[in-house]
Amino acid sequence: MTEGPTLRSLIGEHWNLARTLRKLEIRFDPERCSGVWECYEVCPVDCWEPDYEGSVVIFHHGERCIACGACVLQCPEGAIELEVPGG
Amino acid sequence: MATVFMKWLERRPQDYDRGIQLLTLGKLGSLQAQIVHHLIFEETRVLEIGCGTGELTLIMAQAGAEVTAIDISPPMLAEAERKVDQAGLADRVEFKVLDAALVGDHFDGGSFELIVSSLTFSEMTTQVRAYVLKTCLTLLAQGGRLAILDEVLPEKLAARLFYSAVRIPLRFLTWLLTRTTTHPLRDFTTTLSHAGYTTEVIASELGGSLQLMIASPGKEPGGMAFPRTVLGRLQHHTSLRTLLIDIWATFFRILPPYPKIEPGLYAVGRPDPNSVVLVTGNFDLTVRRLVQAIEGKVSAWVLVVDSAGINVWCAAGGGFLNAERVIGALRVSELEEIVHHRDLILPQLCANGVDGWLIRREASWEVHWGPVRAEDLPDYLVAGKDKTDAMRWVRFPLKDRLEMVTATLGFYGLIILIPVAIFLRELFWPIFISLVGLSYFYAVIHPWLPGRDGLMKSLPLALIALAGLATYVLLWEPLPWPRIFNWSLGLIGLSVFTAAELQGMSPRMRGEQANWGWEVIIVAALGLTYWLVPQALGWR
C-alpha cells in the first residue's frame, strides 16, 4: 500500500501551485485563430474582444485574467495556452 | 489556507485504497478473490465498470482474463494502470476513461463474457443504475454473466441495526482519514430482477452488508420497468428542508456535506418538445435559484448533472463536472426522445471544465454558453440566446459580497474562535468583534481597496483597523503602550487573514490560492507573537 500525502508534501505542493498560479499568463497565437469567438463567449472577466473586421479575436485585457482556463479548453484550434512565461 | 483544506478533502487514489480497506475491514479482497475463483478462466473477456485503483483488475488479469477496465476518474485509472504495468500485465488490460452510462456507445453488443463491478453500482443514481443494467444485457455474450460486489443494506431489522451501529462510526472515521465513503444499495436484487436478471448471492461478509451477486440475463430479457426519464417538476417552494439547508448554506457553505438533489431530467413550468434545455449541477442551492429565476417566465427542461453537490464553477474547475458527465446525463435521460431540437444551454461558468466541443462531437448536441447569472436567463432566451456583455462578465455586488463573507466566516469563525474560547477566553469578545467587524467592513469596501492581491488589500485594511484602535484608546480607554503594541500586532494579523482569505471569494481574482503561503506565514508569526509575548512577559 502506498503512503498517503503528508502535511509537509501537501504544503510544499501548494507552495509551488501558488507560485505557478500567480505567474500564469495567456499565450495566444493569432495565426491559428479561426474566429469562432468561443474564448470571448466564455471569459467571465472580459479579456477577449472579437475583431469583427479580421474575423479573429484580440487578447486585450491580459491583466484581468484569473487563469480559469475556460478559453484554453474551449478554443477549437488550440490557439490559447496558459503558461508560466519563460518557465 | 482554504486551499490546503480543500486539497485535503480531495480524495487521492492511495487514500481511496486505504479508505476502502478500512471501511470493508479488509473483507473486500477476499470477495474479489472469489470472483476470480468462480468466474475467471484463461482469456475470459471481462468488462470492469468502475475499476477504481485496479485491485480487482490486477487479480483478474493475473488469472488470465482479457480485461477492459473503465472509470470516470483519470487519477484513479492512472493508479490502476501503474499497478498493472508493474505486474507486467499491460497487454491484458485496456483502460478507458468512461462514464458507466456510456458503455453502450463504446462497445459492440455481445462483447463480454463477464461484466464485473466492485462498489460502483452503489455510487450511481437509481436512474443511471437501471440504464446501465439495461445496457449490460446487450453487451453480454451468450451465457455471459454480471458479477456485482457491493455494499447492501441488510434486510433483517436486527442485522440492519447492527450494521448502522458499526457502520456510522466507521464511516465517519474513514472519511476523516481518507475522504472515502460508500453508500449501501437498497433492495438491489429486486432492481436486478426488474432489469431482467436472475440473481444469486454467492458470498457475503460483514453481516451480509457486503455481497457478491451473480446475475444472469433471464430467459425474457428487457422485461424491466424502466423509470420514466423525467424525474419530476421543479417548483420554487419553501419547506423546513429548504429552510435548514439555507441556514446551513448561509454559514457553512464551504463545508461538506453539500446539499444536493438527485441528478436527472426535470421539468420547470409546462415544457413541450420545443422548449429549451438548461443544464446545471446538482448543488441544491444552484437548482433552487435557477428554478426561482425562470419559473413563471420560461418553461424549460432542466438537466441536472451530478456535480458532487458542488456549484458549477468550482465543480468544473475541480474536475467534478465535465463533458463526459454531461454526455452521460444526456444518454440516461433519453433527452433526444423528448425534445425536437439539439440545443443545450450550459452555464457559462462551467466552461472552465466542460469541453463544449466534446459534447458537440461525441453527442451531436449544440452547446450554447448561457449567462453567468441565472436571473439573466429569461432575457437571454427572449433575445434568442443572445448574450450581452453584462450577462457575460461576472459582477460582485454588495449583496454577493456579504453572502460570501458570511459563508466563509462560519467556517473560519470556528477555526479561530474555538481555540480562542479555549486558550484565551478573556479575549474572546474583543477578537470575535474584531474578526466579524473586519470581515464585513472588508466586504463593503472591497471594490475600493487598491490591488488585486489579498495581501495588498490587507494593508489599507490594517491601517483602518489601527486607526480604529487609536480612536478607542484616545476616546474610551487609555491602554498602556505594550498592550497597544500587542493589540496592533493582533489586528494586523486579523486584517491580513481576513483580506487574504476572503479574496478567494471574489470571482474576479486568482483566488486566495495565489498567495496563501505568505498569508499563513505572516498570520502565524503575528498571531504567535500576539499570544506568546504577553505570556512570557507576564502581562496577562
Side-chain angles (χ1 to χ4, degrees):
Chain A
M1 199 186 305
T2 351
E3 272 301 297
T6 60
L7 187 64
R8 207 164 157 185
S9 72
L10 261 185
I11 290 178
E13 189 183 310
H14 275 76
W15 185 268
N16 291 330
L17 182 75
R19 282 172 58 112
T20 314
L21 204 65
R22 270 202 302 272
K23 290 186 194 156
L24 279 175
E25 274 180 23
I26 288 288
R27 190 160 302 168
F28 170 51
D29 180 0
E31 295 289 308
R32 290 163 79 176
C33 177
S34 60
V36 293
W37 299 337
E38 283 285 287
C39 47
Y40 165 66
E41 197 60 26
V42 297
C43 178
V45 289
D46 183 24
C47 287
W48 300 92
E49 174 83 20
D51 175 359
Y52 294 94
E53 281 166 25
S55 297
V56 288
V57 77
I58 304 165
F59 186 60
H60 74 147
H61 277 309
E63 80 286 356
R64 293 184 185 165
C65 177
I66 55 172
C68 73
C71 53
V72 179
L73 184 62
Q74 306 305 334
C75 178
E77 310 297 336
I80 310 172
E81 276 168 288
L82 257 180
E83 286 174 356
V84 175
Chain B
M1 200 168 134
T3 327
V4 178
F5 174 70
M6 297 314 279
K7 201 71 193 173
W8 174 78
L9 284 181
E10 208 172 86
R11 195 178 63 188
R12 292 163 180 243
Q14 295 89 334
D15 290 336
Y16 181 80
D17 273 351
R18 290 192 303 160
I20 292 299
Q21 187 85 8
L22 189 59
L23 260 180
T24 60
L25 301 173
K27 299 293 186 194
L28 190 70
S30 73
L31 289 181
Q32 289 179 335
Q34 295 220 30
I35 295 183
V36 174
H37 178 71
H38 290 292
L39 299 164
I40 301 290
F41 305 96
E42 201 61 34
E43 291 179 6
T44 305
R45 287 169 297 154
V46 185
L47 171 66
E48 184 179 8
I49 298 179
C51 65
T53 56
E55 296 278 308
L56 177 58
T57 323
L58 181 67
I59 57 172
M60 291 194 299
Q62 279 166 342
E66 303 282 343
V67 188
T68 305
I70 66 158
D71 202 283
I72 186 74
S73 156
M76 292 281 199
L77 268 183
E79 173 68 10
E81 210 159 355
R82 195 189 59 79
K83 282 183 193 163
V84 169
D85 279 354
Q86 219 166 40
L89 292 165
D91 55 334
R92 288 199 174 275
V93 185
E94 190 194 342
F95 289 103
K96 239 186 169 94
V97 179
L98 197 63
D99 191 294
L102 301 182
V103 286
D105 297 0
H106 287 259
F107 305 108
D108 295 330
S111 302
F112 302 101
E113 285 134 12
L114 178 68
I115 299 179
V116 298
S117 183
S118 174
L119 294 176
T120 303
F121 274 91
S122 50
E123 297 291 313
M124 301 173 186
T125 66
T126 319
Q127 208 174 23
V128 173
R129 208 176 285 151
Y131 183 83
V132 173
L133 286 174
K134 189 174 83 166
T135 316
C136 286
L137 280 177
T138 65
L139 292 179
L140 282 174
Q142 193 70 36
R145 284 185 286 184
L146 181 63
I148 295 171
L149 174 50
D150 224 315
E151 188 179 341
V152 294
L153 198 64
E155 274 164 36
K156 294 206 175 74
L157 184 66
R160 199 174 280 201
L161 285 176
F162 178 73
Y163 169 83
S164 309
V166 175
R167 212 70 197 151
I168 291 168
L170 191 59
R171 258 194 178 160
F172 184 67
L173 179 71
T174 311
W175 188 86
L176 275 184
L177 291 173
T178 64
R179 271 75 61 209
T180 300
T181 192
T182 56
H183 314 272
L185 288 162
R186 281 162 194 268
D187 210 9
F188 193 53
T189 41
T190 313
T191 313
L192 279 165
S193 108
H194 281 169
Y197 294 88
T198 327
T199 313
E200 197 188 342
V201 176
I202 64 160
S204 70
E205 289 284 358
L206 306 178
S209 66
L210 197 62
Q211 292 187 347
L212 172 57
M213 291 161 270
I214 297 196
S216 319
K219 292 257 159 26
E220 299 273 320
M224 91 174 175
F226 190 68
R228 285 165 55 244
T229 60
V230 181
L231 292 180
R233 194 182 306 280
L234 292 172
Q235 277 173 311
H236 176 61
H237 68 288
T238 346
S239 64
L240 185 64
R241 181 176 178 273
T242 63
L243 185 71
L244 289 175
I245 290 177
D246 283 340
I247 293 174
W248 172 265
T250 302
F251 296 103
F252 301 110
R253 193 175 304 177
I254 59 175
L255 286 178
Y258 307 114
K260 45 188 150 185
I261 79 161
E262 164 125 11
L265 184 63
Y266 294 88
V268 173
R270 308 214 158 266
D272 60 37
N274 295 314
S275 298
V276 291
V277 178
L278 306 171
V279 177
T280 190
N282 76 328
F283 181 36
D284 180 275
L285 221 56
T286 306
V287 178
R288 277 194 288 137
R289 285 186 178 177
L290 171 67
V291 172
Q292 201 176 358
I294 62 171
E295 195 173 48
K297 296 176 185 153
V298 183
S299 282
W301 301 105
V302 175
L303 184 63
V304 178
V305 181
D306 185 2
S307 63
I310 303 171
N311 70 72
V312 294
W313 167 257
C314 295
F320 295 99
L321 178 59
N322 55 23
E324 285 83 359
R325 281 269 157 103
V326 176
I327 297 173
L330 285 168
R331 287 279 183 281
V332 172
S333 65
E334 296 178 347
L335 196 57
E336 69 277 9
E337 314 272 308
I338 294 173
V339 296
H340 290 160
H341 59 83
R342 303 284 272 187
D343 293 299
L344 293 181
I345 299 172
L346 267 71
Q348 184 195 313
L349 287 188
C350 71
N352 55 338
V354 177
D355 184 346
W357 296 99
L358 194 69
I359 298 177
R360 293 178 181 112
R361 216 170 42 230
E362 301 268 307
S364 313
W365 281 82
E366 179 49 31
V367 168
H368 304 268
W369 299 108
V372 163
R373 302 175 85 95
E375 69 231 35
D376 290 332
L377 268 168
D379 288 343
Y380 165 80
L381 292 171
V382 166
K385 301 198 191 84
D386 191 23
K387 198 159 59 172
T388 63
D389 283 346
M391 295 177 185
R392 190 188 322 273
W393 300 331
V394 287
R395 282 165 278 161
F396 199 37
L398 182 64
K399 182 171 154 283
D400 290 13
R401 299 201 297 272
L402 293 177
E403 189 183 332
M404 291 317 294
V405 162
T406 313
T408 33
L409 260 185
F411 172 57
Y412 290 125
L414 289 183
I415 287 193
I416 294 184
L417 295 176
I418 288 180
V420 168
I422 296 171
F423 298 110
L424 275 177
R425 188 177 297 172
E426 70 281 9
L427 287 173
F428 180 82
W429 288 110
I431 292 179
F432 177 87
I433 291 167
S434 308
L435 176 67
V436 173
L438 274 174
S439 299
Y440 283 103
F441 183 67
Y442 179 67
V444 173
I445 63 167
H446 179 270
W448 294 281
L449 291 179
R452 298 202 323 146
D453 181 301
L455 287 179
M456 284 297 292
K457 280 184 186 283
S458 71
L459 288 178
L461 187 69
L463 286 178
I464 295 169
L466 292 181
L469 177 67
T471 316
Y472 177 80
V473 170
L474 291 174
L475 294 185
W476 283 285
E477 195 185 344
L479 295 172
W481 278 109
R483 293 202 73 166
I484 294 179
F485 180 68
N486 202 43
W487 260 101
S488 305
L489 289 185
L491 280 174
I492 296 172
L494 271 183
S495 303
V496 172
F497 178 80
T498 307
E501 284 298 323
L502 299 187
Q503 186 217 16
M505 73 191 177
S506 161
R508 289 217 194 91
M509 298 185 187
R510 289 193 182 191
E512 43 78 54
Q513 286 191 325
N515 54 18
W516 75 276
W518 288 112
E519 173 217 333
V520 171
I521 291 172
I522 295 170
V523 171
L526 288 171
L528 283 176
T529 321
Y530 170 76
W531 182 42
L532 293 176
V533 168
Q535 299 231 324
L537 301 180
W539 303 338
R540 209 172 270 151

